[in-house]
mmCIF file of all heavy atoms in Angstrom:
data_model
loop_
_atom_site.group_PDB
_atom_site.id
_atom_site.type_symbol
_atom_site.label_atom_id
_atom_site.label_comp_id
_atom_site.label_asym_id
_atom_site.label_seq_id
_atom_site.Cartn_x
_atom_site.Cartn_y
_atom_site.Cartn_z
ATOM 1 N N SER S 1 104.248 68.670 112.716
ATOM 2 C CA SER S 1 103.029 69.395 112.919
ATOM 3 C C SER S 1 101.776 68.493 112.716
ATOM 4 O O SER S 1 100.816 68.566 113.541
ATOM 5 C CB SER S 1 102.954 70.545 111.944
ATOM 6 O OG SER S 1 101.788 71.302 112.121
ATOM 7 N N MET S 2 101.859 67.620 111.713
ATOM 8 C CA MET S 2 100.772 66.668 111.441
ATOM 9 C C MET S 2 100.630 65.696 112.584
ATOM 10 O O MET S 2 99.516 65.350 112.942
ATOM 11 C CB MET S 2 100.970 65.946 110.108
ATOM 12 C CG MET S 2 99.792 65.207 109.653
ATOM 13 S SD MET S 2 98.398 66.242 109.005
ATOM 14 C CE MET S 2 99.131 66.707 107.397
ATOM 15 N N ALA S 3 101.765 65.298 113.120
ATOM 16 C CA ALA S 3 101.756 64.281 114.245
ATOM 17 C C ALA S 3 101.076 64.922 115.481
ATOM 18 O O ALA S 3 100.340 64.222 116.170
ATOM 19 C CB ALA S 3 103.152 63.859 114.568
ATOM 20 N N PHE S 4 101.377 66.170 115.735
ATOM 21 C CA PHE S 4 100.693 66.773 116.903
ATOM 22 C C PHE S 4 99.201 66.942 116.631
ATOM 23 O O PHE S 4 98.382 66.767 117.515
ATOM 24 C CB PHE S 4 101.324 68.144 117.152
ATOM 25 C CG PHE S 4 102.538 68.082 118.107
ATOM 26 C CD1 PHE S 4 103.821 68.319 117.569
ATOM 27 C CD2 PHE S 4 102.375 67.791 119.429
ATOM 28 C CE1 PHE S 4 104.955 68.268 118.386
ATOM 29 C CE2 PHE S 4 103.476 67.803 120.283
ATOM 30 C CZ PHE S 4 104.758 67.960 119.786
ATOM 31 N N MET S 5 98.788 67.237 115.406
ATOM 32 C CA MET S 5 97.383 67.373 115.111
ATOM 33 C C MET S 5 96.724 66.045 115.291
ATOM 34 O O MET S 5 95.567 65.986 115.772
ATOM 35 C CB MET S 5 97.200 67.851 113.675
ATOM 36 C CG MET S 5 97.604 69.291 113.420
ATOM 37 S SD MET S 5 96.624 70.511 114.303
ATOM 38 C CE MET S 5 95.041 70.317 113.479
ATOM 39 N N ARG S 6 97.384 64.953 114.982
ATOM 40 C CA ARG S 6 96.772 63.589 115.150
ATOM 41 C C ARG S 6 96.375 63.268 116.531
ATOM 42 O O ARG S 6 95.423 62.576 116.813
ATOM 43 C CB ARG S 6 97.637 62.521 114.532
ATOM 44 C CG ARG S 6 97.734 62.543 112.979
ATOM 45 C CD ARG S 6 98.439 61.254 112.446
ATOM 46 N NE ARG S 6 98.672 61.346 111.070
ATOM 47 C CZ ARG S 6 99.788 61.648 110.490
ATOM 48 N NH1 ARG S 6 100.904 61.820 111.276
ATOM 49 N NH2 ARG S 6 99.946 61.706 109.187
ATOM 50 N N ILE S 7 97.255 63.763 117.485
ATOM 51 C CA ILE S 7 96.964 63.445 118.916
ATOM 52 C C ILE S 7 96.031 64.511 119.484
ATOM 53 O O ILE S 7 95.267 64.116 120.437
ATOM 54 C CB ILE S 7 98.232 63.288 119.789
ATOM 55 C CG1 ILE S 7 98.955 64.583 119.905
ATOM 56 C CG2 ILE S 7 99.140 62.174 119.219
ATOM 57 C CD1 ILE S 7 100.094 64.531 120.992
ATOM 58 N N MET S 8 96.014 65.709 118.988
ATOM 59 C CA MET S 8 95.151 66.737 119.574
ATOM 60 C C MET S 8 93.704 66.613 119.194
ATOM 61 O O MET S 8 92.807 66.734 119.996
ATOM 62 C CB MET S 8 95.726 68.163 119.184
ATOM 63 C CG MET S 8 96.968 68.528 119.891
ATOM 64 S SD MET S 8 97.416 70.315 119.707
ATOM 65 C CE MET S 8 97.574 70.382 117.886
ATOM 66 N N ILE S 9 93.438 66.378 117.850
ATOM 67 C CA ILE S 9 92.076 66.427 117.335
ATOM 68 C C ILE S 9 91.146 65.492 118.081
ATOM 69 O O ILE S 9 90.023 65.897 118.463
ATOM 70 C CB ILE S 9 92.075 66.171 115.809
ATOM 71 C CG1 ILE S 9 92.747 67.303 115.090
ATOM 72 C CG2 ILE S 9 90.698 65.946 115.267
ATOM 73 C CD1 ILE S 9 92.131 68.700 115.319
ATOM 74 N N PRO S 10 91.498 64.227 118.288
ATOM 75 C CA PRO S 10 90.574 63.357 119.039
ATOM 76 C C PRO S 10 90.448 63.635 120.532
ATOM 77 O O PRO S 10 89.526 63.140 121.194
ATOM 78 C CB PRO S 10 91.070 61.955 118.764
ATOM 79 C CG PRO S 10 92.550 62.136 118.550
ATOM 80 C CD PRO S 10 92.680 63.429 117.872
ATOM 81 N N ALA S 11 91.347 64.447 121.016
ATOM 82 C CA ALA S 11 91.379 64.735 122.458
ATOM 83 C C ALA S 11 90.673 65.930 122.902
ATOM 84 O O ALA S 11 90.378 66.164 124.105
ATOM 85 C CB ALA S 11 92.878 64.819 122.966
ATOM 86 N N ILE S 12 90.325 66.839 121.954
ATOM 87 C CA ILE S 12 89.597 68.062 122.285
ATOM 88 C C ILE S 12 88.106 67.941 121.989
ATOM 89 O O ILE S 12 87.674 67.103 121.228
ATOM 90 C CB ILE S 12 90.256 69.299 121.573
ATOM 91 C CG1 ILE S 12 90.242 69.136 120.085
ATOM 92 C CG2 ILE S 12 91.666 69.521 122.064
ATOM 93 C CD1 ILE S 12 90.844 70.315 119.307
ATOM 94 N N ASN S 13 87.349 68.870 122.614
ATOM 95 C CA ASN S 13 85.865 68.749 122.443
ATOM 96 C C ASN S 13 85.458 69.332 121.154
ATOM 97 O O ASN S 13 86.162 69.997 120.401
ATOM 98 C CB ASN S 13 85.174 69.347 123.635
ATOM 99 C CG ASN S 13 85.369 70.850 123.809
ATOM 100 O OD1 ASN S 13 85.283 71.593 122.800
ATOM 101 N ND2 ASN S 13 85.653 71.331 125.014
ATOM 102 N N PRO S 14 84.132 69.105 120.739
ATOM 103 C CA PRO S 14 83.670 69.612 119.412
ATOM 104 C C PRO S 14 83.868 71.085 119.172
ATOM 105 O O PRO S 14 84.261 71.508 118.092
ATOM 106 C CB PRO S 14 82.215 69.185 119.414
ATOM 107 C CG PRO S 14 82.207 67.941 120.277
ATOM 108 C CD PRO S 14 83.158 68.284 121.409
ATOM 109 N N ALA S 15 83.606 71.901 120.176
ATOM 110 C CA ALA S 15 83.739 73.381 120.047
ATOM 111 C C ALA S 15 85.183 73.737 119.839
ATOM 112 O O ALA S 15 85.526 74.621 119.001
ATOM 113 C CB ALA S 15 83.143 74.095 121.221
ATOM 114 N N GLU S 16 86.106 73.040 120.591
ATOM 115 C CA GLU S 16 87.519 73.343 120.410
ATOM 116 C C GLU S 16 88.024 72.905 119.041
ATOM 117 O O GLU S 16 88.833 73.556 118.389
ATOM 118 C CB GLU S 16 88.354 72.662 121.502
ATOM 119 C CG GLU S 16 88.074 73.255 122.889
ATOM 120 C CD GLU S 16 88.589 72.373 124.006
ATOM 121 O OE1 GLU S 16 88.748 71.118 123.832
ATOM 122 O OE2 GLU S 16 88.781 72.942 125.118
ATOM 123 N N ARG S 17 87.533 71.773 118.549
ATOM 124 C CA ARG S 17 87.892 71.304 117.188
ATOM 125 C C ARG S 17 87.463 72.301 116.109
ATOM 126 O O ARG S 17 88.186 72.680 115.196
ATOM 127 C CB ARG S 17 87.253 69.956 116.897
ATOM 128 C CG ARG S 17 87.924 68.739 117.444
ATOM 129 C CD ARG S 17 87.196 67.496 117.009
ATOM 130 N NE ARG S 17 87.346 66.464 118.046
ATOM 131 C CZ ARG S 17 86.409 65.811 118.596
ATOM 132 N NH1 ARG S 17 85.143 65.984 118.190
ATOM 133 N NH2 ARG S 17 86.651 64.914 119.528
ATOM 134 N N ALA S 18 86.230 72.744 116.277
ATOM 135 C CA ALA S 18 85.670 73.746 115.262
ATOM 136 C C ALA S 18 86.467 74.997 115.327
ATOM 137 O O ALA S 18 86.724 75.623 114.217
ATOM 138 C CB ALA S 18 84.192 73.954 115.548
ATOM 139 N N ALA S 19 86.835 75.489 116.491
ATOM 140 C CA ALA S 19 87.598 76.758 116.613
ATOM 141 C C ALA S 19 88.932 76.614 116.022
ATOM 142 O O ALA S 19 89.436 77.423 115.235
ATOM 143 C CB ALA S 19 87.625 77.189 118.039
ATOM 144 N N LEU S 20 89.662 75.490 116.398
ATOM 145 C CA LEU S 20 91.075 75.274 115.896
ATOM 146 C C LEU S 20 91.101 75.143 114.388
ATOM 147 O O LEU S 20 91.863 75.745 113.677
ATOM 148 C CB LEU S 20 91.604 74.023 116.560
ATOM 149 C CG LEU S 20 92.980 73.587 116.152
ATOM 150 C CD1 LEU S 20 94.062 74.581 116.454
ATOM 151 C CD2 LEU S 20 93.360 72.203 116.796
ATOM 152 N N LEU S 21 90.212 74.258 113.856
ATOM 153 C CA LEU S 21 90.213 73.972 112.478
ATOM 154 C C LEU S 21 89.577 75.129 111.636
ATOM 155 O O LEU S 21 89.937 75.321 110.477
ATOM 156 C CB LEU S 21 89.601 72.622 112.184
ATOM 157 C CG LEU S 21 90.405 71.490 112.757
ATOM 158 C CD1 LEU S 21 89.606 70.178 112.754
ATOM 159 C CD2 LEU S 21 91.668 71.259 111.905
ATOM 160 N N GLY S 22 88.666 75.803 112.225
ATOM 161 C CA GLY S 22 88.040 76.961 111.573
ATOM 162 C C GLY S 22 89.073 78.024 111.326
ATOM 163 O O GLY S 22 89.112 78.638 110.201
ATOM 164 N N ALA S 23 89.960 78.246 112.290
ATOM 165 C CA ALA S 23 91.072 79.265 112.098
ATOM 166 C C ALA S 23 92.032 78.794 111.124
ATOM 167 O O ALA S 23 92.495 79.632 110.273
ATOM 168 C CB ALA S 23 91.734 79.480 113.487
ATOM 169 N N MET S 24 92.288 77.495 111.070
ATOM 170 C CA MET S 24 93.227 76.921 110.076
ATOM 171 C C MET S 24 92.600 77.008 108.678
ATOM 172 O O MET S 24 93.274 77.404 107.678
ATOM 173 C CB MET S 24 93.575 75.446 110.378
ATOM 174 C CG MET S 24 94.515 74.857 109.409
ATOM 175 S SD MET S 24 94.973 73.177 109.911
ATOM 176 C CE MET S 24 95.931 73.524 111.343
ATOM 177 N N LYS S 25 91.316 76.785 108.567
ATOM 178 C CA LYS S 25 90.633 76.834 107.237
ATOM 179 C C LYS S 25 90.768 78.276 106.734
ATOM 180 O O LYS S 25 90.978 78.529 105.468
ATOM 181 C CB LYS S 25 89.238 76.446 107.403
ATOM 182 C CG LYS S 25 88.395 76.451 106.068
ATOM 183 C CD LYS S 25 86.955 76.084 106.321
ATOM 184 C CE LYS S 25 86.239 76.116 104.964
ATOM 185 N NZ LYS S 25 84.770 75.867 105.161
ATOM 186 N N LYS S 26 90.677 79.268 107.640
ATOM 187 C CA LYS S 26 90.709 80.695 107.281
ATOM 188 C C LYS S 26 92.099 81.129 106.858
ATOM 189 O O LYS S 26 92.260 81.936 105.922
ATOM 190 C CB LYS S 26 90.118 81.518 108.455
ATOM 191 C CG LYS S 26 90.192 83.011 108.197
ATOM 192 C CD LYS S 26 89.558 83.707 109.432
ATOM 193 C CE LYS S 26 89.641 85.223 109.300
ATOM 194 N NZ LYS S 26 91.018 85.710 109.495
ATOM 195 N N ASP S 27 93.124 80.660 107.567
ATOM 196 C CA ASP S 27 94.427 81.233 107.494
ATOM 197 C C ASP S 27 95.455 80.406 106.673
ATOM 198 O O ASP S 27 96.397 80.957 106.086
ATOM 199 C CB ASP S 27 95.033 81.493 108.814
ATOM 200 C CG ASP S 27 94.192 82.543 109.568
ATOM 201 O OD1 ASP S 27 93.576 83.381 108.955
ATOM 202 O OD2 ASP S 27 94.155 82.456 110.839
ATOM 203 N N ALA S 28 95.221 79.076 106.634
ATOM 204 C CA ALA S 28 96.235 78.151 105.971
ATOM 205 C C ALA S 28 95.991 78.029 104.485
ATOM 206 O O ALA S 28 94.802 78.217 104.081
ATOM 207 C CB ALA S 28 96.210 76.803 106.652
ATOM 208 N N PRO S 29 97.013 77.682 103.670
ATOM 209 C CA PRO S 29 96.753 77.449 102.305
ATOM 210 C C PRO S 29 95.736 76.274 102.183
ATOM 211 O O PRO S 29 95.780 75.346 102.979
ATOM 212 C CB PRO S 29 98.141 77.004 101.773
ATOM 213 C CG PRO S 29 99.128 77.650 102.717
ATOM 214 C CD PRO S 29 98.395 77.669 104.023
ATOM 215 N N PRO S 30 94.823 76.351 101.201
ATOM 216 C CA PRO S 30 93.815 75.241 101.090
ATOM 217 C C PRO S 30 94.368 73.835 101.061
ATOM 218 O O PRO S 30 93.787 72.915 101.599
ATOM 219 C CB PRO S 30 93.069 75.613 99.773
ATOM 220 C CG PRO S 30 93.277 77.106 99.591
ATOM 221 C CD PRO S 30 94.704 77.380 100.160
ATOM 222 N N GLU S 31 95.499 73.612 100.331
ATOM 223 C CA GLU S 31 95.998 72.293 100.238
ATOM 224 C C GLU S 31 96.560 71.777 101.589
ATOM 225 O O GLU S 31 96.524 70.572 101.843
ATOM 226 C CB GLU S 31 97.119 72.259 99.206
ATOM 227 C CG GLU S 31 98.387 73.079 99.422
ATOM 228 C CD GLU S 31 98.253 74.534 99.013
ATOM 229 O OE1 GLU S 31 97.107 74.988 98.695
ATOM 230 O OE2 GLU S 31 99.274 75.199 98.952
ATOM 231 N N VAL S 32 97.035 72.730 102.419
ATOM 232 C CA VAL S 32 97.524 72.332 103.761
ATOM 233 C C VAL S 32 96.357 71.959 104.631
ATOM 234 O O VAL S 32 96.371 70.955 105.310
ATOM 235 C CB VAL S 32 98.388 73.498 104.352
ATOM 236 C CG1 VAL S 32 98.655 73.181 105.834
ATOM 237 C CG2 VAL S 32 99.656 73.685 103.581
ATOM 238 N N PHE S 33 95.292 72.768 104.581
ATOM 239 C CA PHE S 33 94.093 72.474 105.387
ATOM 240 C C PHE S 33 93.524 71.167 104.964
ATOM 241 O O PHE S 33 93.154 70.328 105.815
ATOM 242 C CB PHE S 33 93.126 73.601 105.205
ATOM 243 C CG PHE S 33 91.826 73.318 105.943
ATOM 244 C CD1 PHE S 33 91.712 73.399 107.321
ATOM 245 C CD2 PHE S 33 90.674 72.976 105.181
ATOM 246 C CE1 PHE S 33 90.503 73.183 107.924
ATOM 247 C CE2 PHE S 33 89.439 72.733 105.809
ATOM 248 C CZ PHE S 33 89.359 72.805 107.215
ATOM 249 N N GLN S 34 93.480 70.897 103.689
ATOM 250 C CA GLN S 34 92.854 69.591 103.225
ATOM 251 C C GLN S 34 93.706 68.440 103.637
ATOM 252 O O GLN S 34 93.183 67.395 103.948
ATOM 253 C CB GLN S 34 92.686 69.660 101.725
ATOM 254 C CG GLN S 34 91.833 68.487 101.156
ATOM 255 C CD GLN S 34 90.459 68.536 101.776
ATOM 256 O OE1 GLN S 34 89.766 69.531 101.756
ATOM 257 N NE2 GLN S 34 90.052 67.346 102.229
#
């Protein structure tokens, strides 16, 4: 899962990054998000 995040994050635009990680910040355990 982390490996896929490493290739996706630099490839998507700022709005997409904010949406993807904003949802993760809301739903994932804090230590996983960090």
Side-chain angles (χ1 to χ4, degrees):
S1 181
M2 191 73 76
F4 274 107
M5 291 296 290
R6 287 191 188 103
I7 67 169
M8 289 192 298
I9 292 301
I12 57 181
N13 66 46
E16 291 166 338
R17 279 184 210 127
L20 175 65
L21 292 165
M24 181 177 291
K25 183 183 180 185
K26 176 176 177 288
D27 297 330
E31 65 275 12
V32 172
F33 176 73
Q34 191 60 48

